[in-house]
Amino acid sequence: MATGDVKLLGAWASPFAMRPRIALNLKNVDYKYLEQNLGGKDELLLKSNPVHKKVPVMIHKDKPICESLVIVQYIDEAFTSGPSILPSDSYDRAIARFWAAYIDDKWCASLFSIARAKTDEEKATAVGGVTTGLGLLEQAFKKLSKGKGFFGGETIGYIDIALGSYLGWLRAAETLAGSKYIDETTTPNLTVWAERFCSDAAVQDLMPESEKLLDFAKMLLSGKFDPPK
Amino acid sequence: MATGDVKLLGAWASPFAMRPRIALNLKNVDYKYLEQNLGGKDELLLKSNPVHKKVPVMIHKDKPICESLVIVQYIDEAFTSGPSILPSDSYDRAIARFWAAYIDDKWCASLFSIARAKTDEEKATAVGGVTTGLGLLEQAFKKLSKGKGFFGGETIGYIDIALGSYLGWLRAAETLAGSKYIDETTTPNLTVWAERFCSDAAVQDLMPESEKLLDFAKMLLSGKFDPPK
């Protein structure tokens, strides 16, 4: 569906900015993508998101919507084209929101803490948080996917978007650490899921190149940048 | 509406546990309230919320739902009795979700940082965060309430619940600091709103007594407790 009245302010390395783009692809909504310079702040970004001054921002019919998961829910509700992103049942919807909140509030904090850890103990705690979280998500996947390919069932849903958007960063973290966080032994379902997610038509052109992301991650670690959010 | 199949695991001092209780009151849903001992963890709590092991948990038809704002949204969707808590328009709903996320992710962090601050500078930063946030919320109120009594219009809505549940703690923080964060000069609309919110039939019996909360806050500050969440 072509709308012509959707703009998306994003940044290539931001997992959060990837989320509404995946949702718009799933809904077959055409949109104008405006890559933002993470080092500076464009006037449109400051005007559209004066509270956080961060990507992503979606502008629909000249009205801005901010915060990645808020935007994804809005896209699901405002565009009836394409599959539903959140489940239709209210209890299932609550479970999807629970896991998405877990991913952003708890798991993501551990992921970004790995790079920021100043001592071996801090690093071990962060790595432990990531692997424990992936263990919980592996269990959740088995329960929620019901033998299908995604947390959302046959197609990419809300939890898939929430977790999948971090896969580029997770891989960068794996490369830096020299070990896998998602692997066939401890998280066999997530291993297959991650490959399926990244090769989905709605995602494949949005996942950042590993090398480029790794260079960017190293720049972040050098202290020249705040992590994107 | 009597359901008989709703249980709510909460704790009197928790702003988060207050939220689903307000929502259930607004929807006229009878429920069994199970006060939890914050010092220990009951078996039902551990079983119902194995990920966070925290209140609130709502159990509906034997199925648990966790995370306060997830529960409030579930209540709004599952019970058609009483007024809608989230707006009916998808854009307005996105705005309500945005402000609720702001309150929990940013503003609340400043509020709880006041008590935890170890230096005058840290305290000034935390107080600055609280007052800046209240300034933003004062502006948001003017825009969203459209001259009515609540963020949600004529009745208590999603942002009202998200922010209002902190009023007991905000008042405790004001008493400890000896100064007002919500006052008639800087936040005249929020001042009137706070009184209206606390005296609403759905809220008045849930707001903790100031003295009791202050004693509890002092106990938290003494390091004998983690803050409830």
Side-chain angles (χ1 to χ4, degrees):
Chain A
M1 185 175 75
T3 67
D5 53 12
V6 177
K7 293 188 190 80
L8 199 289
L9 282 62
W12 69 272
S14 166
F16 310 104
M18 191 191 295
R19 293 171 171 177
R21 300 185 75 187
I22 295 170
L24 288 167
N25 285 350
L26 287 168
K27 295 284 187 177
N28 294 312
V29 175
D30 283 340
Y31 63 97
K32 187 174 180 182
Y33 178 65
L34 301 167
E35 174 77 16
Q36 303 295 296
N37 177 0
L38 281 172
K41 302 283 181 185
D42 284 1
E43 199 180 328
L44 184 60
L45 179 64
L46 295 173
K47 185 183 149 197
S48 308
N49 189 1
V51 173
H52 299 295
K53 304 179 181 68
K54 284 178 178 174
V55 296
V57 178
M58 183 169 117
I59 301 173
H60 185 208
K61 295 177 183 170
D62 296 323
K63 294 197 287 188
I65 306 129
C66 308
E67 293 285 298
S68 65
L69 292 178
V70 172
I71 304 173
V72 170
Q73 289 180 85
Y74 173 79
I75 291 168
D76 197 32
E77 295 171 0
F79 299 100
T80 51
S81 50
S84 285
I85 294 170
L86 278 109
S88 57
D89 175 76
S90 55
Y91 184 78
D92 295 340
R93 220 159 31 240
I95 297 301
R97 287 185 180 125
F98 169 84
W99 283 111
Y102 171 78
I103 290 162
D104 270 12
D105 298 345
K106 297 281 173 192
W107 184 78
C108 151
S110 296
L111 180 63
F112 287 127
S113 293
I114 293 176
R116 292 195 203 109
K118 286 174 185 158
T119 64
D120 286 349
E121 196 182 342
E122 281 179 11
K123 190 172 178 181
T125 303
V127 170
V130 169
T131 53
T132 300
L134 290 172
L136 291 172
L137 288 159
E138 171 81 7
Q139 296 306 315
F141 182 88
K142 282 199 268 189
K143 193 168 175 185
L144 299 173
S145 65
K146 293 171 186 154
K148 292 174 182 159
F150 295 103
F151 284 92
E154 284 175 358
T155 54
I156 287 176
Y158 195 58
I159 309 174
D160 298 288
I161 294 175
L163 183 62
S165 59
Y166 287 110
L167 285 171
W169 281 92
L170 191 70
R171 285 171 176 169
E174 286 177 338
T175 305
L176 287 170
S179 63
K180 291 273 184 191
Y181 297 124
I182 289 185
D183 65 51
E184 288 177 11
T185 312
T186 53
T187 53
N189 284 284
L190 289 187
T191 305
V192 178
W193 165 83
E195 285 193 24
R196 188 179 289 116
F197 180 84
C198 292
S199 59
D200 191 277
V203 176
Q204 59 186 0
D205 294 336
L206 301 175
M207 197 56 72
E209 286 172 34
S210 295
E211 281 295 312
K212 195 178 165 192
L213 197 58
L214 204 57
D215 288 344
F216 186 70
K218 286 173 183 168
M219 190 170 72
L220 290 182
L221 288 172
S222 73
K224 290 180 187 162
F225 240 109
D226 283 331
K229 187 159 186 182
Chain B
M1 186 174 76
T3 67
D5 52 11
V6 176
K7 294 188 189 79
L8 199 288
L9 282 62
W12 69 272
S14 165
F16 310 103
M18 191 191 295
R19 292 170 171 177
R21 300 185 75 186
I22 295 170
L24 288 167
N25 285 351
L26 286 168
K27 295 283 187 178
N28 294 312
V29 174
D30 284 340
Y31 63 97
K32 187 173 181 183
Y33 177 67
L34 302 167
E35 175 77 15
Q36 303 296 294
N37 177 1
L38 282 173
K41 303 283 180 183
D42 284 1
E43 197 180 332
L44 184 60
L45 178 64
L46 295 174
K47 186 183 147 198
S48 309
N49 190 0
V51 173
H52 300 295
K53 304 176 180 70
K54 285 180 177 175
V55 296
V57 177
M58 183 169 118
I59 300 173
H60 185 209
K61 296 178 182 168
D62 296 323
K63 294 195 288 187
I65 306 129
C66 308
E67 293 284 299
S68 64
L69 291 178
V70 172
I71 305 173
V72 170
Q73 288 180 84
Y74 174 79
I75 291 168
D76 197 33
E77 294 171 1
F79 300 100
T80 52
S81 50
S84 285
I85 294 170
L86 278 109
S88 57
D89 174 77
S90 55
Y91 184 78
D92 295 340
R93 217 156 38 237
I95 297 301
R97 289 188 179 123
F98 170 84
W99 282 112
Y102 171 78
I103 289 162
D104 270 10
D105 298 344
K106 298 281 173 191
W107 183 78
C108 150
S110 296
L111 180 63
F112 286 127
S113 293
I114 293 176
R116 291 195 204 110
K118 286 174 185 158
T119 64
D120 287 349
E121 195 182 342
E122 280 179 12
K123 189 172 177 181
T125 303
V127 170
V130 170
T131 52
T132 301
L134 289 172
L136 291 172
L137 288 159
E138 170 81 7
Q139 296 306 315
F141 183 88
K142 281 200 267 189
K143 194 170 174 183
L144 299 174
S145 65
K146 293 172 185 153
K148 293 174 180 158
F150 295 104
F151 283 92
E154 285 175 358
T155 54
I156 287 176
Y158 196 59
I159 308 175
D160 298 289
I161 293 174
L163 183 62
S165 58
Y166 287 111
L167 285 171
W169 281 92
L170 191 68
R171 285 172 177 168
E174 286 177 338
T175 305
L176 287 170
S179 64
K180 292 272 184 191
Y181 297 124
I182 289 185
D183 66 51
E184 289 177 10
T185 311
T186 52
T187 53
N189 285 283
L190 288 188
T191 304
V192 179
W193 164 83
E195 284 193 25
R196 187 179 290 116
F197 180 84
C198 291
S199 59
D200 191 276
V203 176
Q204 59 187 359
D205 294 336
L206 301 176
M207 197 57 71
E209 285 173 35
S210 295
E211 281 296 312
K212 196 177 164 192
L213 198 57
L214 205 57
D215 287 343
F216 186 71
K218 285 173 183 168
M219 190 170 73
L220 290 182
L221 288 173
S222 73
K224 289 179 190 164
F225 239 110
D226 283 330
K229 186 160 186 183

